[in-house]
Amino acid sequence: MSTSELNTTAKELLSIRSMIAELEAEAEALTDKIKAVMAAVEEKGVKFQVGFNRRFDHNFAAIRKAYDAGKIGEAHILKITSRDPEPPNPAYIKVSGGIFLDMTIHDFDMACFLTNSDVEELYVNSAVLVDPAIGEQGDVDTAIITMKMANGALAVIDNSRRAAYGYDQRAELFGSKGMVATSNDTLSSAVISDENGVTGEKPLFFFLERYMASFSEEMRQFVDACENNTEVPVGIHAGMQSVKIGLAAKKSVAEHRPVKLSEIQ
């Protein structure tokens, strides 16, 4: 890309940012702010990719590849385990939107990606079991989310803000013909067996260590879409859907009931 093309692109980006800022100023709900972004992107005709990097992770991509190839048949049950190695500073909760919008949102996207379907309805059981200070901020730190997908599959996500053994990122998709599952990544696959027992390595510490390769692949595919004028792999619809699922989860906790995604506008 030439210097003049870069300057033109930079001016376009500034124009889009200005337009989004004006639209967001008029919006109150989070979904309205996203719609403002969608309007700006559509009007300017630019490439916009949502940063759901886990779609580009080698493990999760392998699950989707097996599903697309028909190796497990129709999707029946999806299980996602997502547990952080340590809780965030409670002050972070004030600005993050809470567990469902700063942490589980990636798992919501994974549920949609791995089943190739949107969420139709969900119910949340949650608690404050890790850090009372998180509860004092009006949030939870432990949750189990059950979901009914639009294609009929059932999905379960379990979350915790603290797993003593490290960053726990696993998934299993069960179907009419079989099952595909992934385990955690570790620094090595070495297993030590001695008189004290059999031990292996802990999972990689956190998201930077665990997902660094996916960040690179995410960027590579976005640049490729820009250079070849093709569709980006993760469009803004995916971002909107996961935010709606997150808001539905918060509503389920607040009202102690199942919530349909159609209730979230």
Side-chain angles (χ1 to χ4, degrees):
M1 185 178 287
S2 68
T3 301
S4 61
E5 288 175 321
L6 284 172
N7 287 335
T8 300
T9 300
K11 290 177 181 177
E12 274 291 292
L13 289 173
L14 287 173
S15 174
I16 293 170
R17 288 183 64 180
S18 176
M19 180 179 179
I20 290 173
E22 291 178 6
L23 291 169
E24 284 189 331
E26 301 173 0
E28 295 183 4
L30 178 57
T31 51
D32 289 335
K33 293 180 184 294
I34 298 173
K35 290 174 183 176
V37 176
M38 296 172 74
V41 168
E42 183 175 350
E43 181 174 318
K44 296 295 183 179
V46 298
K47 300 292 184 186
F48 186 97
Q49 180 166 303
V50 177
F52 283 140
N53 64 290
R54 295 184 191 181
R55 292 188 180 215
F56 306 91
D57 172 67
H58 63 114
N59 283 340
F60 296 131
I63 292 178
R64 176 61 187 268
K65 183 178 180 180
Y67 180 44
D68 287 345
K71 292 183 177 180
I72 66 163
E74 295 180 358
H76 288 180
I77 301 172
L78 172 69
K79 296 180 180 179
I80 295 174
T81 294
S82 183
R83 304 165 185 161
D84 284 355
E86 56 188 29
N89 187 309
Y92 172 68
I93 304 300
K94 291 182 179 180
V95 297
S96 74
I99 189 171
F100 301 120
L101 292 176
D102 77 52
M103 177 182 172
T104 322
I105 191 167
H106 288 280
D107 305 313
F108 292 144
D109 180 63
M110 275 296 93
C112 295
F113 174 66
L114 295 178
T115 61
N116 194 26
S117 179
D118 285 335
V119 173
E120 187 175 276
E121 184 180 63
L122 62 75
Y123 177 70
V124 180
N125 266 313
S126 62
V128 179
L129 302 175
V130 175
D131 186 353
I134 290 177
E136 291 169 6
Q137 296 296 332
D139 198 21
V140 299
D141 56 35
T142 308
I144 295 177
I145 305 104
T146 56
M147 299 174 290
K148 182 176 182 180
M149 309 304 291
N151 65 358
L154 302 178
V156 179
I157 297 171
D158 81 76
N159 286 147
S160 175
R161 287 289 197 181
R162 182 178 183 273
Y165 51 86
Y167 195 37
D168 196 353
Q169 299 286 289
R170 292 172 286 137
E172 172 191 298
L173 183 59
F174 170 79
S176 58
K177 291 183 178 180
M179 179 188 78
V180 56
T182 59
S183 56
N184 287 308
D185 280 1
T186 57
L187 191 60
S188 77
S189 60
V191 176
I192 299 173
S193 302
D194 60 19
E195 62 184 6
N196 297 313
V198 180
T199 59
E201 305 224 28
K202 289 182 178 182
L204 294 176
F205 177 66
F206 211 177
F207 66 93
L208 286 179
E209 293 85 354
R210 171 65 182 80
Y211 288 119
M212 186 56 71
S214 71
F215 289 124
S216 298
E217 179 61 17
E218 173 185 46
M219 183 59 69
R220 187 195 68 77
Q221 291 195 31
F222 176 63
V223 171
D224 183 70
C226 292
E227 290 183 340
N228 296 293
N229 195 30
T230 56
E231 290 293 320
V232 296
V234 190
I236 199 165
H237 169 78
M240 174 65 91
Q241 284 302 107
S242 291
V243 167
K244 285 184 175 181
I245 299 168
L247 294 174
K250 295 182 75 166
K251 189 176 183 69
S252 178
V253 170
E255 300 181 6
H256 307 286
R257 67 176 179 88
V259 175
K260 293 184 179 295
L261 262 291
S262 58
E263 296 179 46
I264 310 298
Q265 300 302 316

